Amino acid sequence: MIRTHTAVHSDPTDLLAEVLAKNAGGFVELRYHKKKTRAVVVEKGRVDTAQVTEHSGVGVRVLEDGTWGFASTDRVEALYIERAIRNARAAAKASARARSERCAPLPRVELARGRFESSGVDELLARPIEGTIDLVMRIESETRARSATIQSASCAYSEVYEEKGIVTSDGAKAWTRLIRPEFRVSAVASKSGEIQRGYESSGATGGWECLFRAASAEQLSERAAQRAVDLLSAPYCDGGRAKVILSPALVGLLTHEAIGHTVEADFVAAGSVAAGKLGQRVGSELVTLCDSGASEYADGAGGTLRVDDEGVLAGRTTIIENGILRSYLHDRESAARDGVAPTGNARAFEFDNEPLIRMRNTYIAPGDSDLEEMIASIEDGYVLEGAANGQADSNGEFMFGTREAYRIQNGKKGALLRGVNISGSAFDVLRSVDRVGREFQWDLGSGHCGKGQPAKVDAGGPWISCEVVLGGRS
């Protein structure tokens, strides 16, 4: 949940602008970034981690002779920022001598000016760490006590608070504040040598209520413990191609990992499966897939931001519209190369990292089907819930784990089965979509996406009916 805010807080953009005015010449980008994290982890009734860290400084990029140069400093003072500008210029000139390709002039675009912040910042920063430790310890204890078959449990809370000031020589001057909390609980159950794990998590951009908007800490504990216990006696699925209904969590995982990365413009330039397919059909006409800096359809998505790390406003990009590939995700350099507008997808993990093309909140838009109608329409298939680990490549080929499955026979949902692996080509899966649900949920807001640097993202969508390959016992 992001809104423009008028409260007064320490704003470094005036200092950056003064330094920039004294060091004019070519394109210069100054990015102040302060990051503060608090984390608590409890396992087996004891506090395993309780820490607070802070990291701040200024990253500097210049575009000199068609080549980028980067430098950084952890001293937020004019003298050191000016030194970093000189170092970045020297790096660009040295690199230019060894490069045959040059970056095209950056496209003109509306750049952010003003102050932006998320809700919940002051609330969470004022929340005593002692109260959070007490909650995490209590939830871990309650999780272990929910069944005699539960052998161990863990519970964790973390939050990332960020301040950024971005000033560029072509007009950006933006200051942002946001906070991203997350909560995780897991349980391990054991019986007759069999071990199963249940896991639940929530992550958001916003305050305490936003974090627990879909389920309370107690409900997350109950779900994790119950899943671990129930899976001990659940039978396996059969393998093979099957008609399935994917939960919002699995839709989000598919959308982010197997599709979203293939349309990031740097991966497109390297030859991803999406290269050269703009204007072509890549999915069912029921599929509209977007990436947005806003939290669409529901508040609190974990990748929410108003301004990217190049000072570009982070709006919505429609990647696939009614099954047709319409856009890639761009930073300013890739947009210049392709002759399009940047999409606000440049993001850096900390001040001493250069911005990369990264997703924000990626989703399939909701449709008009009810889940009950979707189940009733399937003679033989499965309902698959809960995103587990997995992998995808630049060809859109994927293999993901699911946490639980339910057999559908004659339009009726049956008993719990053990989760299975699903695999296939992401765009083939999108082409097979024949129903899209009304209910929408963000469900990947905890944890980080990795791509050279970590990034907080989110992904989700509605329930969808499609075809995938199941990895089962037969």
Side-chain angles (χ1 to χ4, degrees):
M1 187 185 300
I2 297 285
R3 56 187 170 84
T4 302
H5 193 70
T6 57
V8 176
H9 298 277
S10 178
D11 182 346
T13 57
D14 288 339
L15 170 63
L16 299 185
E18 290 172 7
V19 171
L20 193 56
K22 295 177 181 177
N23 293 267
F27 176 81
V28 181
E29 171 191 287
L30 304 180
R31 173 174 44 88
Y32 166 81
H33 191 173
K34 174 182 177 180
K35 177 179 286 187
K36 181 178 180 179
T37 63
R38 299 198 296 183
V40 178
V41 180
V42 173
E43 295 183 354
K44 299 179 181 178
R46 67 177 185 272
V47 177
D48 187 66
T49 300
Q51 64 181 19
V52 179
T53 62
E54 188 171 313
H55 194 201
S56 63
V58 177
V60 177
R61 284 202 309 169
V62 302
L63 187 57
E64 194 90 26
D65 296 333
T67 304
W68 290 103
F70 179 78
S72 65
T73 175
D74 60 1
R75 302 287 295 273
V76 188
E77 302 172 41
L79 174 67
Y80 296 94
I81 299 171
E82 290 173 351
R83 181 182 298 169
I85 293 174
R86 292 194 296 272
N87 290 340
R89 283 191 170 131
K93 291 177 181 178
S95 178
R97 290 194 291 269
R99 291 173 61 92
S100 57
E101 297 181 1
R102 294 289 188 271
C103 175
L106 300 181
R108 296 185 64 84
V109 64
E110 181 184 3
L111 295 169
R113 296 188 64 84
R115 301 164 66 88
F116 310 89
E117 74 172 277
S118 72
S119 60
V121 171
D122 294 327
E123 170 208 344
L124 285 187
L125 290 180
R127 188 179 180 89
I129 191 68
E130 294 81 7
T132 302
I133 293 174
D134 289 344
L135 172 69
V136 173
M137 291 192 69
R138 176 171 62 81
I139 294 300
E140 188 273 343
S141 177
E142 290 178 0
T143 305
R144 278 187 289 117
R146 290 187 183 276
S147 170
T149 60
I150 294 179
Q151 302 301 303
S152 65
S154 67
C155 184
Y157 171 85
S158 64
E159 67 189 28
V160 179
Y161 165 73
E162 293 182 278
E163 291 180 14
K164 290 186 181 181
I166 301 169
V167 175
T168 67
S169 55
D170 59 351
K173 187 182 180 186
W175 180 80
T176 66
R177 293 172 84 223
L178 57 80
I179 197 160
R180 294 188 170 109
E182 64 180 63
F183 189 86
R184 302 180 300 278
V185 58
S186 67
V188 176
S190 176
K191 185 177 180 181
S192 302
E194 179 74 25
I195 297 176
Q196 289 291 331
R197 181 173 180 260
Y199 175 81
E200 290 288 333
S201 66
S202 177
T205 303
W208 197 258
E209 289 186 3
C210 209
L211 176 62
F212 295 113
R213 65 194 181 279
S216 67
E218 291 78 11
Q219 288 171 324
L220 294 174
S221 166
E222 183 177 5
R223 291 178 189 174
Q226 194 64 54
R227 179 180 294 114
V229 172
D230 289 348
L231 287 174
L232 288 172
S233 56
Y236 288 91
C237 285
D238 293 330
R241 181 168 294 277
K243 189 65 170 283
V244 299
I245 298 173
L246 300 181
S247 70
L250 287 167
V251 170
L253 186 63
L254 177 76
T255 299
H256 176 91
E257 292 290 354
I259 300 166
H261 283 302
T262 72
V263 297
E264 292 171 330
D266 49 353
F267 281 178
V268 173
S272 82
V273 68
K277 288 187 169 58
L278 288 179
Q280 297 183 24
R281 179 165 295 283
V282 294
S284 159
E285 64 181 10
L286 299 176
V287 174
T288 292
L289 190 154
C290 304
D291 181 78
S292 180
S295 186
E296 311 277 356
Y297 298 105
D299 287 339
T304 302
L305 67 156
R306 280 285 297 275
V307 182
D308 81 352
D309 288 337
E310 293 181 320
V312 177
L313 292 167
R316 178 201 304 138
T317 300
T318 300
I319 299 167
I320 298 172
E321 182 180 32
N322 302 127
I324 307 298
L325 185 63
R326 296 298 189 192
S327 179
Y328 301 132
L329 302 178
H330 289 282
D331 61 8
R332 299 187 73 181
E333 179 180 1
S334 70
R337 182 184 64 235
D338 288 2
V340 298
T343 56
N345 285 89
R347 302 179 62 191
F349 182 57
E350 292 185 335
F351 77 88
D352 49 0
N353 298 123
E354 293 187 71
L356 303 175
I357 300 173
R358 308 301 298 271
M359 283 171 274
R360 301 155 306 182
N361 302 313
T362 315
Y363 64 92
I364 289 179
D368 59 7
S369 294
D370 291 323
L371 178 58
E372 293 76 14
E373 294 172 352
M374 297 165 72
I375 293 171
S377 71
I378 296 176
E379 289 295 313
D380 187 19
Y382 296 90
V383 176
L384 303 179
E385 299 189 31
N389 58 339
Q391 59 186 13
D393 62 23
S394 62
N395 292 320
E397 301 287 338
F398 68 90
M399 178 179 289
F400 301 141
T402 70
R403 296 183 192 168
E404 54 193 85
Y406 300 86
R407 186 70 179 268
I408 302 173
Q409 291 182 307
N410 301 318
K412 303 292 185 182
K413 179 181 175 181
L416 174 69
L417 302 170
R418 298 191 186 204
V420 297
N421 290 329
I422 61 174
S423 62
S425 166
F427 290 106
D428 286 346
V429 172
L430 292 192
R431 293 185 188 97
S432 75
V433 172
D434 58 8
R435 288 178 184 263
V436 177
R438 290 192 184 96
E439 178 186 352
F440 183 96
Q441 184 177 344
W442 295 110
D443 214 357
L444 291 182
S446 61
H448 289 77
C449 168
K451 180 189 170 183
Q453 306 167 20
K456 294 294 292 185
V457 300
D458 213 333
W463 297 83
I464 66 169
S465 172
C466 58
E467 291 185 6
V468 298
V469 175
L470 303 183
R473 276 293 179 96
S474 62

